[in-house]
Amino acid sequence: MRNKALLYVTIGILISLMVVIVRPQAVDSLLQSKWLGEVALPRYTDGSERQSRTPEAIDLVSLFPDIVVRQWRPETKKIALTFDDGPDDVYTPRILDVLSKYNVRATFFLIGNAAEKHREIVRRIQREGHEIGNHTYFHSNLSRMAPWQILLDLGKARRVFSDITGEDVLVVRPPYGALDPPAVKAIGDEGYNILLWTVDSLDWWGLSKEEVVQNVVPRVESGVIILHHSSGGPDEDLTGSVDALPEIIETLQSEGYSFHTASEILEEIRIQNEMKKKAKEAAKERARGS
Ligand SMILES: [Zn+2]
């Protein structure tokens, strides 16, 4: 009798484990269902940007130059526009309208569970020539997680993006910019690159159009990566941010800047590093020959 009970309990545990591994979305929707009182954590597991972000940035670029990018050194006046926390059906479509009007391509770091809710917007981002980056599945604070948890979360979002777009998304931006060295190493070992930012529009503070323009335009120089948001937490208003976009783009285009995406940045850095390596080898060869 006891053996039988034990067997049933074991089978129950095994089935639950399989559900968690094979169909994690099923567990999410179960936890979010009304009859369970929506016990699942909300989309912003660790709070909105404003609640959780620490202003001081950790410089991981020098520790992991092959994995982490904060700025790059293009030969011409190139910059990048990036949008975090989308997609949603309020701000993201308006941003896409502006970008399309000015023929600018950007990178959208999307949250996995938001992408599942707005699949058509994700397809529109892709269709209009923009790039998608991984901003985790739960908007999780990676500096508080073990490497295996980080990879599980990123992998889950990666599956969502490939399911919707057919593309393998290998560029990551950590929510809140929160990272520590073990996290970076684990992410890099998995084949991802991490794209941070140089210029923060601070639009997540719900600033006015003028304030957002002021936070961005004077700080732009060649190779900067600009951070905006394409969706916010429940109390975050991005109207000023969206309204500022046309002026930011017009001003920077008139100054001769062109806009580039994450994969273009990474490719340019890869070529530059290769050239540096070759030049070093050639110098060594010459030293040996003389
Ligand atoms: Zn974020």
Side-chain angles (χ1 to χ4, degrees):
M1 188 64 202
R2 260 187 68 192
N3 276 353
K4 229 175 188 178
L6 199 66
L7 180 72
Y8 287 141
V9 170
T10 314
I11 291 173
I13 292 172
L14 281 176
I15 290 174
S16 314
L17 270 176
M18 274 174 65
V19 170
V20 171
I21 293 163
V22 181
R23 295 222 15 112
Q25 310 91 304
V27 181
D28 289 341
S29 35
L30 189 71
L31 291 175
Q32 279 159 6
S33 66
K34 285 256 166 3
W35 59 271
L36 259 182
E38 294 170 306
V39 295
L41 291 165
R43 203 179 104 203
Y44 288 76
T45 321
D46 290 299
S48 67
E49 293 280 341
R50 207 190 310 189
Q51 288 163 330
S52 294
R53 224 166 94 178
T54 43
E56 68 269 30
I58 318 158
D59 195 5
L60 292 158
V61 181
S62 49
L63 272 175
F64 300 97
D66 295 332
I67 305 171
V68 188
V69 176
R70 193 193 289 286
Q71 186 165 4
W72 86 113
R73 290 189 182 78
E75 278 169 16
T76 55
K77 291 179 92 173
K78 294 181 183 177
I79 50 176
L81 256 182
T82 62
F83 296 89
D84 285 9
D85 293 3
D88 70 353
D89 53 5
V90 181
Y91 300 110
T92 313
R94 290 179 57 195
I95 290 166
L96 287 169
D97 290 345
V98 176
L99 296 177
S100 138
K101 184 181 166 198
Y102 291 96
N103 205 13
V104 163
R105 290 189 308 126
T107 307
F108 288 81
F109 287 92
L110 305 180
I111 301 172
N113 73 57
E116 277 179 332
K117 284 185 200 117
H118 303 285
R119 300 170 81 91
E120 195 35 57
I121 312 256
V122 180
R123 284 194 203 98
R124 182 177 165 198
I125 292 173
Q126 181 192 34
R127 201 168 52 235
E128 297 186 0
H130 306 291
E131 254 171 52
I132 288 165
N134 189 334
H135 200 46
T136 76
Y137 186 84
F138 289 112
H139 203 263
S140 323
N141 187 329
L142 303 184
S143 68
R144 293 189 200 148
M145 289 157 71
W148 68 268
Q149 291 173 309
I150 293 174
L151 296 183
L152 208 65
D153 184 317
L154 291 176
K156 197 170 165 179
R158 181 177 173 181
R159 276 194 299 281
V160 171
F161 303 139
S162 79
D163 180 39
I164 301 174
T165 68
E167 278 175 27
D168 194 13
V169 172
L170 283 169
V171 59
V172 169
R173 173 169 287 160
Y176 321 108
L179 275 176
D180 56 18
V184 177
K185 194 177 175 310
I187 295 168
D189 285 350
E190 195 70 8
Y192 296 107
N193 273 104
I194 297 170
L195 201 77
L196 299 174
W197 61 89
T198 337
V199 174
D200 190 344
S201 67
L202 295 171
D203 59 350
W204 43 285
W205 279 100
L207 301 181
S208 69
K209 172 191 163 182
E210 290 72 26
E211 288 169 316
V212 175
V213 171
Q214 269 316 301
N215 282 341
V216 175
V217 173
R219 300 199 178 118
V220 168
E221 57 178 6
S222 191
V224 300
I225 298 164
I226 303 167
L227 167 64
H228 276 247
H229 289 79
S230 76
S231 174
D235 58 335
E236 289 174 3
D237 181 2
L238 292 172
T239 311
S241 177
V242 179
D243 290 347
L245 260 190
E247 192 175 328
I248 291 174
I249 294 172
E250 273 176 37
T251 310
L252 296 175
Q253 280 181 335
S254 75
E255 290 174 7
Y257 288 104
S258 60
F259 293 86
H260 299 268
T261 56
S263 68
E264 291 171 315
I265 298 172
L266 293 170
E267 178 62 9
E268 194 158 350
I269 292 174
R270 193 188 63 75
I271 292 170
Q272 283 173 349
N273 287 347
E274 216 160 76
M275 276 165 60
K276 263 188 230 159
K277 219 169 108 187
K278 272 189 189 151
K280 233 183 192 173
E281 275 163 19
K284 251 191 209 164
E285 201 63 37
R286 273 197 305 276
R288 238 179 276 153
S290 63

